[in-house]
Amino acid sequence: MGTHYRRVLLKLSGEALMGNMGYGIDPEIVKRIGSEVAEVVATGVQMAIVVGGGNIFRGVKAAAGGMDRATADYIGMIATVMNSLTLQDSLERIGLQTRVQTAIAMQEIAEPYIRRRAIRHLEKGRVVIFGAGSGNPFFTTDTTAALRAAEIDAEVIFKATKVDGVYDADPHIYPEAKRYQSLNYGHVLTNDLRVMDSTAIALCKENNIPILIFDISVKGNIYRAVMGESIGTLVGGSCEVS
């Protein structure tokens, strides 16, 4: 069975790396994600990754506590680099060539983000992990994912989270909440469904990049997504609300 996509961008939340821990990185979770990424790359799919930093530091929360917002966001960017290097180590332990590129210069530990170099790495079968967000405060890693996906001509964004899709209400509070199978960008923005922040959704809409939201804790979901199986919630310009 052939893959459904040729080049994808996987957006991992920092919280996804915690597992059941309250803070930090669960080595077993990182190892499992690494093995799933390797399984996908082995099919010939080119994969780039953007990882958040919320398992280590959340800039918005720190800013709410009185810290300067720009400073808090820069600290959050550094947290994403820590996660990126951890993920790189996991991938390389199983023989997968990986490059970390950062939007803030850290030449001793990672390459600077250069679009053409990133694309060349992907063409050679290497996984590229984008760290340090967009390099600018006041922008989320969701927006970074949308931006990088547009820059590298990714066909889809896989937003891997701790929930199995998008609901019309909080399923933890409302057990009868409905999970959407598909949505369009306009419905997401109008109803503030918080699939990603509004800047990220607008970027995806402008560049016609679909977003698939699914549960990363279910083993094999990354592979299923690449194969085009119906999991999670798909957001796209031509999608019906269902």
Side-chain angles (χ1 to χ4, degrees), residues 10 14 21 24 28 30 48-49 56-57 76 78 87 104-106 109 146-147 154 179 190 223 232 237:
L10 175 65
M21 300 167 56
E28 291 303 314
V30 175
I49 301 174
I56 298 172
F57 186 89
I78 294 170
L87 190 56
I104 299 173
M106 299 183 183
I109 59 174
L147 176 63
R179 180 170 67 83
T190 301
Y223 183 81

Side-chain angles (χ1 to χ4, degrees), residues 40-51:
V40 168
V41 173
T43 67
V45 173
Q46 299 172 18
M47 180 171 287
I49 301 174
V50 170
V51 61

Side-chain angles (χ1 to χ4, degrees), residues 2 31-32 46 89 124 174 205 233:
K31 182 178 179 181
R32 180 179 63 78
Q46 299 172 18
D89 178 77
K124 289 185 175 181
Y174 305 98
K205 180 180 180 181
T233 302

Side-chain angles (χ1 to χ4, degrees), residues 105-186:
M106 299 183 183
Q107 62 266 28
E108 288 82 8
I109 59 174
E111 296 180 0
Y113 170 66
I114 299 173
R115 173 181 174 269
R116 293 174 70 91
R117 182 180 290 178
I119 292 172
R120 186 60 177 151
H121 285 321
L122 292 169
E123 291 172 344
K124 289 185 175 181
R126 299 166 182 152
V127 176
V128 181
I129 305 172
F130 299 119
S134 66
N136 301 290
F138 306 103
F139 291 92
T140 67
T141 50
D142 278 350
T143 297
T144 300
L147 176 63
R148 296 289 183 253
E151 288 180 304
I152 66 171
D153 299 320
E155 297 168 313
V156 65
I157 294 174
F158 291 159
K159 183 170 170 60
T161 68
K162 285 188 169 183
V163 295
D164 62 348
V166 180
Y167 288 79
D168 59 359
D170 188 338
H172 296 105
I173 301 175
Y174 305 98
E176 70 280 5
K178 171 192 172 184
R179 180 170 67 83
Y180 293 103
Q181 289 187 322
S182 63
L183 290 165
N184 57 54
Y185 305 113

